[in-house]
Amino acid sequence: MRRFVPRLVASPPARVLLTRGPIAAGIVDRFVAGPTDADAVAATARLADRGLRASVDLLGEGVTRPDDALATVLAYLRLLDLADRAGIGAGLDVSVKLSALGQAVPRDGRKLSYENAAEICARAAAVNATVTVDMEDHTTTDATLDTVVELRRDFPSVGAVLQAQLQRTEGDCRDLARAGSRVRLCKGAYREPAGTVHCGRPAVRVAYARCLGILLAGPGYPMIATHDPALIGVAGRLAAQLRRAPATYEYQLLHGVRPGEQRRLAAGGATVRVYLPYGPDSVPYLTRRLVEKPANLLLAVRALGSRHGS
């Protein structure tokens, strides 16, 4: 299934199925807040009512034209302004992909993506929100981390993302486990070549636990992004052993994935943030969710079936 799903969802008919076909509602509604910034703000407000925070991600990546990168910036600025007017800007986090901000634009992409990210960071700071720079495939890791370092000179709260599946990540954790450093640790959902990653789910789980130990033992602010019950258990035990106060780290789970666990962790006093994607370009994100766990497709189909049967 993990080999078949990427080929399936890359086909034009599958794109229609994921976004406009009869199954679209079951898939998109489960994992995506909606197509507009108003949808994202409304979903953020609903999460806040349940004691959950949000990290909002405007879907879209790999732009190659400056105008498209500018459109992404303007969309994030609108989102932040709308959240501020709704009274939920403070404490909100926005996740940005540098490839959506122009990193791949010929010649000046690196500079352009930094400047665009800095503009979003400035608006976020004005409404007491934060920004986390998402990680993409392994070819961009160094450039992304370098940009995070540059952004932190003016915006110290900018968060970084590390993927435990990459063999290099343990060293990156040691470099980033510093005071004031916000680091989201995830397993990683990109298909990477052999030699760059730990192979197999057990190996990735072990690598995640090692990286988690480094981050929790350091003075930074770890963001524990996993749905794996075993790793959530490891995180809780490590935090207790290291006497980490709940306010000094947080759990992050995807919108639509294990909502009961989100509520359970929050009810136990943990800080819980939901990764909340929105926007009309949902196919690449949904593809990664289906590749990461093909059973998600079955869950969405079942949700659709129960909706039609009700």
Side-chain angles (χ1 to χ4, degrees), residues 24-309:
I27 298 175
V28 176
D29 289 355
R30 182 176 181 88
F31 298 112
V32 178
T36 71
D37 47 16
D39 293 324
V41 170
T44 299
R46 289 193 296 271
L47 290 171
D49 289 341
R50 299 198 292 268
L52 303 170
R53 303 183 185 184
S55 183
V56 180
D57 173 28
L58 172 62
L59 296 172
E61 55 196 77
V63 306
T64 56
R65 299 193 313 147
D67 287 350
D68 293 333
L70 176 59
T72 300
V73 174
L74 295 176
Y76 272 110
L77 300 184
R78 288 195 304 271
L79 170 72
L80 288 163
D81 287 345
L82 186 60
D84 186 45
R85 290 197 297 272
I88 55 175
L92 178 68
D93 183 71
V94 293
S95 291
V96 301
K97 285 184 171 60
L98 293 180
S99 76
L101 300 181
Q103 190 179 55
V105 170
R107 293 189 298 277
D108 297 326
R110 173 79 177 278
K111 179 174 181 289
L112 177 65
S113 63
Y114 163 75
E115 292 173 347
N116 285 337
E119 186 170 0
I120 295 170
C121 289
R123 184 66 60 86
V127 302
N128 294 313
T130 56
V131 174
T132 299
V133 178
D134 263 332
M135 192 59 71
E136 301 180 67
D137 71 80
H138 80 284
T139 64
T140 65
T141 301
D142 284 324
T144 299
L145 292 178
D146 287 347
T147 298
V148 169
V149 170
E150 294 173 20
L151 289 168
R152 284 181 172 179
R153 291 170 186 157
D154 294 316
F155 309 100
S157 67
V158 168
V161 179
L162 297 177
Q163 301 177 94
Q165 72 171 350
L166 295 180
Q167 294 175 359
R168 61 171 288 169
T169 297
E170 189 171 343
D172 290 331
C173 285
R174 296 187 190 281
D175 291 340
L176 288 170
R178 300 191 301 269
S181 178
R182 296 172 57 250
V183 179
R184 177 194 296 153
L185 179 65
C186 62
K187 285 185 176 178
Y190 289 88
R191 299 187 72 197
E192 303 285 15
T196 66
V197 294
H198 300 287
C199 295
R201 292 185 180 182
V204 173
R205 182 179 288 151
V206 169
Y208 192 105
R210 286 200 305 267
C211 292
L212 187 59
I214 294 168
L215 294 175
L216 282 170
Y221 185 84
M223 298 179 285
I224 305 162
T226 181
H227 309 99
D228 189 322
L231 290 175
I232 289 174
V234 168
R237 291 191 294 274
L238 281 173
Q241 292 168 9
L242 295 166
R243 299 189 178 183
R244 298 280 312 225
T248 66
Y249 66 97
E250 66 184 45
Y251 294 95
Q252 293 193 358
L253 294 92
L254 296 172
H255 174 61
V257 181
R258 301 194 72 198
E261 181 68 359
Q262 296 171 17
R263 294 190 295 270
R264 184 191 72 80
L265 289 168
T271 301
V272 180
R273 191 178 300 274
V274 176
Y275 188 86
L276 186 67
Y278 81 101
D281 186 17
S282 60
V283 171
Y285 174 79
L286 293 172
T287 299
R288 286 194 292 275
R289 296 287 73 79
L290 296 177
V291 171
E292 183 180 42
K293 189 175 182 182
N296 285 334
L297 180 60
L298 181 59
L299 291 173
V301 171
R302 285 175 175 170
L304 181 63
S306 63
R307 177 181 304 176
H308 285 178

